[in-house]
Amino acid sequence: MTRFFSLSSLRARLMFLVLLAVVPALGLMLYNAREQRELAAMEAERSLRELVRIASDDYERLIDGTRQLLIVLARLPAVRQQDTAGCVAIMADLVKSYQQYVGLGAYKPNGDQFCTTIPGARPINVADRPYFQRVMKTRDFTVGNYQIGRLTGRAVLPFAYPALDESGNVRAVALAVVGLSWLKQLASKAYLPPGSTLTLLDSSRVILGQYPGEEESAGKAVDDPILIQAAKDRSEGVAVGSGADGAPRFIGFTSLKSGSGDPMVLAISISQKAIFAEADRILNRNIFWLAIVSLIALAAAWFGCDLFILRQLNSLLSASKRLGGGDLSARAGLPRGSGELAHLAETFDDMAGALQRREIEAGQAEGKFQGLLESAPDAMVIVDRQGRIVLVNAQTEKLFGYSRRELLGQKVEILMPDRFRAKHPEHRAGFFADSRARPMGAGLELYGQRRDGTEFSVEISLSPLQTEEGVLVTAAIRDVTERKRAEESVRQLSARVLHLQDEEQQRIARELQAGAGQSLDALLSQLSIIRDSGIVFDWKTSEALQKSLNLATDTAKELRNLSYLLYPRLLDEAGLVEAIRWYGGGFAQRTGIKVTMDIPPNFGRLSRDAERTLFRIVQESLTNIYRHSGSQTAKIRITKDTYAVRLEVKDDGNGIPPGILDASGGTLAISGVGIRGMFERMRQLGGRLEIDSGSWGTRVTAVLPASSARLAGHTVQG
């Protein structure tokens, strides 16, 4: 059952599409609901503005009506003559007719009450009331402030009008007291929705009355931020926000006149829930029916998917699993048709058939590949990305002493000495990152290890092999032990030849100096004696004698130069630095090439072999500059420190032609005996020789380790 509810299943995706199709309808519903709410909000704001205007008009009419009533009462003889019985009888009948009044009454100029319609009321004095003081002062109609009545104990609004005699003196004051019943009348007339309130505030933001909740809220300070702001503004308008209870609502407010001059505020509050009730009801109804339709569509998708799609797909899935398990004869077996699933099944069957044919062909190709692998003259090892051996040939078994079964699945590091195994995975990863055919460990000595633990020199060529399982590496391994031995013999022979060459050059130089040099010096001496003897010769004899002297002098000079070039005694007597300076100066005179030298003072002496090797490198480099570079300058620089001695000879000539330097940039593919001799001399001393060349010229760099350059008992220092 789990697969039916998997979010990645076809059934789930189809149901998701059904739900997705419902989204636009839901969005349209929400959009319509939003518009309806906006219209309801606009209508509520309009209604509130109209209601507060009606309330303001009703209040004004209440004031005007009360004024007319009090004018009539003030003219009654019973009021003017302070007739208590007559006054009470008249006013009691009037209160029955005008129910908006809590009571009617009359007061003497000193504030004592002599007439009231409130039964059982005790006599009071209102001389301290602001409205009474104002009517006595203005002698005109006065509206008081809402206050808690002394006789009623409720919030009332007093109105007063004076009864004057012919001289304009106050004979009595007629009083009408209005309660908050007009708020109830206004609420019933406005047909406010449930949850709405009408609130009357005084100028101090104290609730004078509220409907509903008149008894609970009267006399309390208002804590609603919207009502507080409305009392501050003292204007007419509509505010939207949240009240003290946190519920969003609309509040319409207007200011009403009072006796003190500070207006009161009447606020009508309607909750947004009530305003949006109809829009929310329509939205909920639409969502309900949309949910019903969606459930029906989902049920149809659920069962329809199983009937029309999943049965065919299950047949394809079963055949795919069989095919994945290696059964290449698996087929979907669905009837041919024009539908997409029928085409898919037909394509699957064709693919399975093609795979079956390809498997047969691959088996045949694998047999051919195995045959080629076995016929290879070298040991062939094929390794995957994890370094596991996946295939070897018979030469591998013969070379390493392992059987094929022992090698397959093992790490390739089993074929190398222990000291190389830890680093090899890093090198292997580097090859897979840049897989291309190349020799392994160019310039390094490589070793293999047989099953019995013996090591032998190998040469390995690597090449990538693309397969269905990914990239494999084919390693062709050749035992080069005998070749290494032959190369070592050649090196030893080369070293012996170089040594004999140096010895022979030294011997020839000595013999030239001791034999031919002395003979030439004797000849020059004899010829000089003849020239200086005073014998007079004919002009031909004199000319021949002088030419012989000149020829003998030049020959002696060339002989000395040749002797020094073969082996300068200065190298043994004064050291490398003086020999290079002498040779560089002579080279500049002979060739016209400017030679500059950068050699630190107090360079000191090196070992005899080191000085001889570095001097020969300078000789060979300067000779090549003269013969091949075309450069007019040459620079020799020697430095040393605790670790090595470094010689650099540089020119700014044509550079070595392409193809002469190989790809490594450090050896020559084609070169003469002199350059090869330089490499061999450096190799014997454990140093290295590098030749860099380009359009900027050529630089020959020789680096000798301090251990090879050090004199016995001395330390090489910078």
Side-chain angles (χ1 to χ4, degrees):
M1 289 297 292
T2 303
R3 64 187 181 91
F4 291 112
F5 294 96
S6 174
L7 293 178
S8 60
S9 66
L10 182 61
R11 190 195 302 268
R13 293 180 182 181
L14 183 60
M15 297 179 71
F16 175 74
L17 287 176
V18 172
L19 291 176
L20 195 62
V22 174
V23 170
L26 179 60
L28 183 60
M29 288 182 183
L30 295 176
Y31 178 76
N32 289 336
R34 179 184 174 184
E35 285 195 334
Q36 290 175 353
R37 289 169 68 94
E38 289 178 352
L39 291 174
M42 293 172 61
E43 178 62 22
E45 184 176 352
R46 186 194 64 78
S47 299
L48 282 173
R49 291 184 184 278
E50 184 176 351
L51 283 174
V52 295
R53 280 195 294 270
I54 292 173
S56 179
D57 293 343
D58 284 352
Y59 182 73
E60 292 294 335
R61 284 193 292 270
L62 175 64
I63 293 176
D64 290 340
T66 304
R67 183 174 182 277
Q68 297 297 328
L69 176 63
L70 289 179
I71 290 174
V72 172
L73 290 178
R75 293 176 179 176
L76 292 176
V79 173
R80 296 173 67 86
Q81 297 173 7
Q82 300 180 5
D83 180 4
T84 300
C87 176
V88 170
I90 296 172
M91 290 187 179
D93 290 336
L94 289 174
V95 166
K96 295 178 182 178
S97 302
Y98 300 95
Q99 297 181 358
Q100 65 267 36
Y101 298 110
V102 174
L104 297 175
Y107 293 85
K108 297 177 181 180
N110 63 357
D112 290 336
Q113 174 185 299
F114 67 88
C115 176
T116 181
T117 61
I118 299 175
R122 69 183 186 280
I124 61 173
N125 185 282
V126 295
D128 60 336
R129 292 292 193 177
Y131 71 87
F132 187 82
Q133 295 172 358
R134 194 159 46 251
V135 75
M136 293 297 294
K137 181 179 179 180
T138 61
R139 287 173 170 73
D140 197 0
F141 177 72
T142 297
V143 180
N145 295 324
Y146 262 101
Q147 58 193 27
I148 303 301
R150 292 176 178 174
L151 296 178
T152 62
R154 292 182 297 170
V156 293
L157 180 64
F159 298 87
Y161 190 84
L164 304 177
D165 58 14
E166 291 77 0
S167 301
N169 297 319
V170 177
R171 298 289 303 274
V173 175
L175 180 69
V177 179
V178 178
L180 296 177
S181 59
W182 66 281
L183 288 177
K184 296 181 181 180
Q185 296 173 5
L186 178 62
S188 61
K189 184 168 57 176
Y191 299 105
L192 295 175
S196 303
T197 59
L198 276 77
T199 305
L200 185 64
L201 307 175
D202 65 8
S203 59
S204 302
R205 297 192 292 276
V206 174
I207 298 177
L208 299 173
Q210 190 175 65
Y211 179 81
E214 177 182 358
E215 300 296 332
E216 297 82 1
S217 58
K220 294 181 179 179
V222 68
D223 58 357
D224 190 315
I226 298 178
L227 293 179
I228 293 173
Q229 188 61 42
K232 286 182 179 180
D233 293 343
R234 299 178 181 177
S235 59
E236 181 178 299
V238 176
V240 181
S242 298
D245 57 356
R249 51 187 172 149
F250 285 75
I251 298 179
F253 54 89
T254 186
S255 59
L256 302 177
K257 292 189 298 182
S258 67
S260 64
D262 294 326
M264 299 177 293
V265 174
L266 175 66
I268 304 176
S269 172
I270 304 177
S271 69
Q272 286 190 9
K273 182 178 180 181
I275 293 173
F276 299 146
E278 180 62 18
D280 292 343
R281 185 189 66 79
I282 295 174
L283 176 62
N284 293 334
R285 181 197 64 191
N286 292 340
I287 290 178
F288 172 78
W289 286 112
L290 181 62
I292 295 297
V293 172
S294 300
L295 290 175
I296 295 173
L298 288 174
W302 180 279
F303 295 106
C305 178
D306 184 67
L307 180 63
F308 298 109
I309 299 176
L310 290 182
R311 291 183 183 179
Q312 291 87 336
L313 284 181
N314 287 334
S315 298
L316 276 170
L317 181 61
S318 176
S320 299
K321 288 182 177 179
R322 290 173 54 200
L323 184 64
D327 183 6
L328 297 181
S329 64
R331 300 293 184 270
L334 295 179
R336 302 278 175 160
S338 58
E340 289 82 356
L341 289 177
H343 287 161
L344 179 60
E346 182 179 352
T347 303
F348 176 85
D349 292 344
D350 293 342
M351 179 192 67
L355 287 176
Q356 193 172 21
R357 292 190 298 272
R358 185 175 178 183
E359 180 69 15
I360 296 173
E361 295 171 356
Q364 297 172 349
E366 184 177 354
K368 294 179 181 179
F369 176 76
Q370 188 68 34
L372 291 173
L373 196 67
E374 293 298 333
S375 63
D378 296 328
M380 304 296 293
V381 179
I382 299 179
V383 181
D384 64 12
R385 186 178 291 271
Q386 287 71 39
R388 292 189 295 267
I389 299 174
V390 298
L391 196 61
V392 297
N393 64 354
Q395 291 294 336
T396 305
E397 298 178 280
K398 181 180 178 181
L399 181 61
F400 288 94
Y402 290 97
S403 68
R404 197 179 304 244
R405 178 175 298 178
E406 289 176 311
L407 289 176
L408 295 181
Q410 295 292 327
K411 291 286 188 178
V412 71
E413 285 79 15
I414 194 176
L415 302 178
M416 61 184 62
D418 292 342
R419 62 184 180 277
F420 301 126
R421 293 179 181 178
K423 285 285 187 179
H424 187 258
E426 180 180 344
H427 300 319
R428 184 178 68 244
F431 178 83
F432 275 100
D434 182 21
S435 55
R436 54 185 173 84
R438 62 175 184 263
M440 177 178 172
L444 301 177
E445 294 289 337
L446 303 180
Y447 296 92
Q449 180 173 288
R450 296 186 177 91
R451 192 175 188 277
D452 60 7
T454 58
E455 296 184 13
F456 59 99
S457 296
V458 295
E459 188 177 77
I460 304 175
S461 296
L462 303 176
S463 60
L465 178 64
Q466 295 287 344
T467 68
E468 294 179 353
E469 291 78 17
V471 178
L472 303 179
V473 176
T474 302
I477 307 172
R478 178 173 296 178
D479 185 353
V480 293
T481 304
E482 294 302 323
R483 193 184 76 189
K484 291 290 184 180
R485 289 174 182 168
E487 289 176 352
E488 182 60 28
S489 298
V490 171
R491 290 193 188 96
Q492 293 177 0
L493 178 60
S494 175
R496 181 60 182 165
V497 169
L498 289 173
H499 178 72
L500 291 175
Q501 180 183 356
D502 288 340
E503 294 295 330
E504 185 65 15
Q505 288 178 346
Q506 187 176 4
R507 184 189 65 79
I508 293 173
R510 286 198 303 267
E511 289 182 357
L512 287 175
Q513 288 286 353
Q518 291 180 3
S519 297
L520 282 173
D521 289 340
L523 177 60
L524 281 170
S525 177
Q526 294 297 323
L527 290 174
S528 297
I529 292 173
I530 294 172
R531 183 194 61 188
D532 299 333
S533 64
I535 301 174
V536 178
F537 298 100
D538 58 75
W539 68 271
K540 287 185 178 181
T541 303
S542 298
E543 183 180 8
L545 179 60
Q546 187 60 43
K547 287 183 178 180
S548 297
L549 280 169
N550 293 339
L551 181 60
T553 301
D554 292 341
T555 302
K557 183 178 180 181
E558 289 295 329
L559 190 62
R560 284 193 298 272
N561 286 338
L562 178 61
S563 174
Y564 273 93
L565 290 176
L566 286 172
Y567 191 84
R569 287 182 298 172
L570 190 63
L571 184 63
D572 290 335
E573 295 171 357
L576 175 66
V577 173
E578 293 302 323
I580 289 178
R581 285 175 177 162
W582 166 81
Y583 183 79
F587 176 82
Q589 289 179 356
R590 291 192 302 273
T591 63
I593 297 175
K594 182 180 179 181
V595 179
T596 60
M597 301 183 191
D598 182 7
I599 303 174
N602 303 321
F603 184 83
R605 297 295 300 270
L606 304 178
S607 66
R608 184 172 183 271
D609 289 340
E611 289 188 335
R612 180 181 295 180
T613 297
L614 294 177
F615 180 79
R616 292 301 183 193
I617 290 174
V618 171
Q619 272 189 311
E620 186 66 27
S621 299
L622 291 179
T623 300
N624 287 335
I625 291 173
Y626 172 69
R627 292 178 179 176
H628 307 296
S629 74
S631 175
Q632 296 302 309
T633 61
K635 183 177 181 180
I636 301 172
R637 184 171 181 264
I638 304 177
T639 59
K640 66 178 180 178
D641 55 29
T642 306
Y643 305 102
V645 176
R646 182 183 183 92
L647 167 68
E648 183 180 287
V649 182
K650 183 178 180 299
D651 66 69
D652 56 359
N654 302 322
I656 299 175
I660 301 299
L661 279 176
D662 69 3
S664 66
T667 61
L668 292 178
I670 302 173
S671 61
V673 174
I675 293 181
R676 291 193 181 277
M678 289 194 296
F679 277 100
E680 186 59 34
R681 288 177 187 273
M682 292 298 296
R683 191 195 66 79
Q684 291 176 13
L685 293 178
R688 70 178 188 274
L689 184 69
E690 300 173 354
I691 301 177
D692 298 321
S693 186
S695 60
W696 47 267
T698 302
R699 180 174 57 245
V700 177
T701 304
V703 181
L704 277 178
S707 58
S708 299
R710 187 182 301 120
L711 276 170
H714 293 75
T715 300
V716 175
Q717 295 180 347

